[in-house]
Amino acid sequence: MISIRTIGLTLALVGGLATAGLASAAAPPAPKSNGLALTPPIGWSSWNNFGEDINEQLVVESIDAMIANGMRDAGYIFVNLDDGWQRYKGKRSDHPLEVDPKKFPRGIAWLANYAHERGMKLGIYSGPGQTTCAGYTGSEGHEREDAKMFASWGIDHLKYDACCSHREAPKTELQRIFKTMSDSLMAQQRGIILHACHCGWGDIWEWAGALGINHWRIGQDISDDFNYPGNREKYYFDVLDQLDRGVGIERFSGPGHWNDYDMLIVGLNGKSKQLVGSGASNTEYRTHFSLWAMVSSPMLVGADVRKLDAYSLETLTNKEIIALNQDAAGNIAEKVRDDGDLEVFAKELSDGSHAVLLLNRGAATAEITFSPRRDMQVPMDRYSVRDLWQHRDMGTYEIPFTAEVQSHEARVFRIRQLSTSPNGRSVSDGAAEQSTR
Ligand code: GAL
């Protein structure tokens, strides 16, 4: 049984270390806008579960499944082909870039049309080298021509991946290759979102927005783990690694130009043919999803959407959590309190309310106390609290609130300022404990 209760001014996290609150540091260079991705792109990507093993039937079935299971209506409109749609492996100087006719017999334009007719969007993948990460022909030397081809097919999103071809490239070279594709896309009549994938290297968040790039990975590939000791295969980042990577670079992210914490692992359950990792618990997947929503990361589901179990689907289609990700203000939650294993993230939403996430990274259940004044430096003396996983209004508070948070759980609340009551008391005053589950 989890409970939430009001407590005078007693803090459960005695000796806690408050962090910077919601103040932000020096402003990054002004982003160049193509008018796209004003909220983070959310949808499905083929890579995390299927790798190169993709084809037309899989994509059609995935679109149909996302419509039938409510994902599209919850906002997941992007259907993104990752590496493996191309016909040839080997250097671009030796082969043209064409669709594999065995995998996609009716071509990509047909597939884009299939998506568009159903209110969805189609994404594709290439890279700035001679070859892509999986060894298919890249776009080097043919950027304008490829951008034109993608636009003619009706493509809406391009993942442009430099992780393998330009791993050691200096920053100036990275900026050149991404600018070339960004300019090539912007020269098309069709708006195409550009994801510059460079696995979080070259401080890409510092300069990508100014080149007109819509999102960029802040870390190496995610693995299907919540908190694996160290890095799997000395490379992969788990959920908490990605989260920690984003702390301190929030100011580079916003409408049209997002820090990307990598694709969602919810529903993979350690069974992906493609991705390493032993899977996470339902609670951990839910925490991962809540965190990505709070930091407004693009959210591309990596699991097989045709076979999602009920719990994963309920997690992914929680509209109150998705609303935090898709909020028009585009604020990125900051870590406003860090007490070792117990952390608090918060951000302001476009209607003036705030989203608050209480995270327990530890092994044992713990109480976490949140105070708007102390943790966000917001003088909110009377406020309502809504639990976004239980879909329940918790009442009115005039003092900090405390919630019990299980190991690896994140509890997420939306709090709204209320006018001060005439007698200075809140409806929750005197109620020693309110059961929430
Ligand atoms: C990696 C990238 C993955 C996937 C893969 C395709 O560089 O990080 O997300 O796109 O290439 O080969």
Side-chain angles (χ1 to χ4, degrees):
M1 173 75 90
I2 300 287
S3 67
I4 185 169
R5 59 182 175 242
T6 57
I7 53 166
L9 287 169
T10 316
L11 305 184
L13 304 174
V14 179
L17 175 72
T19 54
L22 294 179
S24 56
K32 182 174 173 186
S33 177
N34 55 8
L36 303 172
L38 298 181
T39 61
I42 67 173
W44 172 80
S45 161
S46 58
W47 187 255
N48 275 355
N49 195 59
F50 300 99
E52 298 171 51
D53 196 9
I54 53 175
N55 58 53
E56 181 182 289
Q57 191 186 344
L58 167 71
V59 181
V60 165
E61 286 178 8
S62 297
I63 290 173
D64 293 349
M66 289 167 80
I67 296 168
N69 70 14
M71 285 180 68
R72 178 196 62 182
D73 293 343
Y76 296 93
I77 58 169
F78 284 87
V79 176
N80 289 358
L81 307 178
D82 206 285
D83 216 353
W85 62 270
Q86 312 90 325
R87 182 172 193 165
Y88 301 107
K89 282 207 171 181
K91 289 185 180 171
R92 183 64 185 270
S93 51
D94 296 335
H95 304 282
L97 179 60
E98 289 173 10
V99 64
D100 184 333
K102 290 201 198 74
K103 288 180 174 175
F104 296 92
R106 283 176 278 196
I108 301 294
W110 180 87
L111 203 51
N113 191 43
Y114 190 88
H116 295 157
E117 278 178 347
R118 288 158 182 78
M120 300 176 86
K121 294 179 180 291
L122 196 76
I124 208 159
Y125 170 101
S126 192
Q130 282 289 322
T131 56
T132 64
C133 266
Y136 292 90
T137 50
S139 289
E140 186 175 334
H142 299 266
E143 295 82 1
R144 190 60 78 106
E145 171 195 330
D146 290 357
K148 199 172 165 204
M149 178 171 78
F150 297 148
S152 76
W153 286 347
I155 289 295
D156 303 292
H157 182 284
L158 172 66
K159 175 173 174 180
Y160 200 53
D161 184 357
C163 299
C164 302
S165 56
H166 291 75
R167 184 166 181 161
E168 309 296 340
K171 216 178 272 188
T172 47
E173 174 65 358
L174 292 172
Q175 289 167 347
R176 189 191 65 74
I177 54 163
F178 284 125
K179 183 176 185 307
T180 303
M181 184 47 89
S182 177
D183 291 349
S184 301
L185 291 178
M186 285 203 201
Q188 308 307 316
Q189 294 292 317
R190 185 177 188 81
I192 301 180
I193 291 173
L194 177 57
H195 167 197
C197 182
H198 195 52
C199 296
W201 303 318
D203 301 326
I204 188 165
W205 44 85
E206 287 181 358
W207 46 265
L211 299 183
I213 293 162
N214 298 109
H215 58 111
W216 47 81
R217 286 255 301 276
I218 61 165
Q220 290 149 205
D221 295 26
I222 196 166
S223 68
D224 188 11
D225 299 295
F226 183 75
N227 192 16
Y228 184 85
N231 298 113
R232 234 181 228 285
E233 299 178 10
K234 298 199 175 127
Y235 180 80
Y236 292 94
F237 282 10
D238 56 41
V239 167
L240 293 182
D241 293 334
Q242 302 280 8
L243 176 70
D244 293 343
R245 183 93 176 161
V247 173
I249 59 170
E250 300 87 349
R251 67 187 182 282
F252 297 105
S253 190
H257 50 98
W258 306 99
N259 284 335
D260 184 336
Y261 293 61
D262 204 2
M263 296 171 282
L264 293 175
I265 55 169
V266 177
L268 290 177
N269 298 323
K271 294 191 186 122
S272 164
K273 282 181 280 172
Q274 172 59 34
L275 204 63
V276 299
S278 32
S281 68
N282 281 338
T283 298
E284 291 168 339
Y285 281 137
R286 205 161 260 197
T287 296
H288 156 51
F289 182 66
S290 300
L291 287 164
W292 267 228
M294 287 291 285
V295 296
S296 293
S297 174
M299 299 198 297
L300 296 172
V301 176
D304 185 344
V305 287
R306 302 167 305 172
K307 297 179 185 161
L308 286 173
D309 60 89
Y311 196 95
S312 300
L313 190 59
E314 187 190 315
T315 297
L316 292 169
T317 54
N318 180 337
K319 291 184 183 167
E320 293 196 84
I321 298 291
I322 293 171
L324 308 182
N325 179 273
Q326 295 290 300
D327 184 71
N331 289 328
I332 313 303
E334 293 185 22
K335 181 153 67 168
V336 296
R337 195 156 183 85
D338 185 341
D339 287 278
D341 284 339
L342 308 180
E343 298 177 351
V344 178
F345 291 79
K347 69 171 172 180
E348 187 173 1
L349 299 165
S350 52
D351 66 354
S353 66
H354 286 75
V356 176
L357 180 148
L358 311 181
L359 171 65
N360 180 359
R361 302 163 76 121
T365 299
E367 286 191 332
I368 301 180
T369 297
F370 174 75
S371 154
R373 269 190 185 272
R374 180 197 65 189
D375 298 327
M376 300 191 310
Q377 289 83 55
V378 175
M380 210 187 271
D381 288 328
R382 188 163 180 267
Y383 56 100
S384 64
V385 177
R386 180 168 173 81
D387 186 320
L388 302 189
W389 279 111
Q390 295 183 31
H391 306 293
R392 195 190 295 189
D393 292 325
M394 305 310 303
T396 303
Y397 291 76
E398 290 186 348
I399 49 181
F401 72 89
T402 298
E404 198 172 275
V405 189
Q406 290 172 3
S407 167
H408 294 182
E409 186 187 27
R411 297 196 61 187
V412 190
F413 303 94
R414 190 157 179 162
I415 66 173
R416 269 174 221 280
Q417 179 148 27
L418 301 172
S419 56
T420 311
S421 62
N423 62 6
R425 288 177 68 81
S426 73
V427 296
S428 296
D429 278 358
E433 189 165 306
Q434 294 176 317
S435 176
T436 63
R437 280 182 199 171

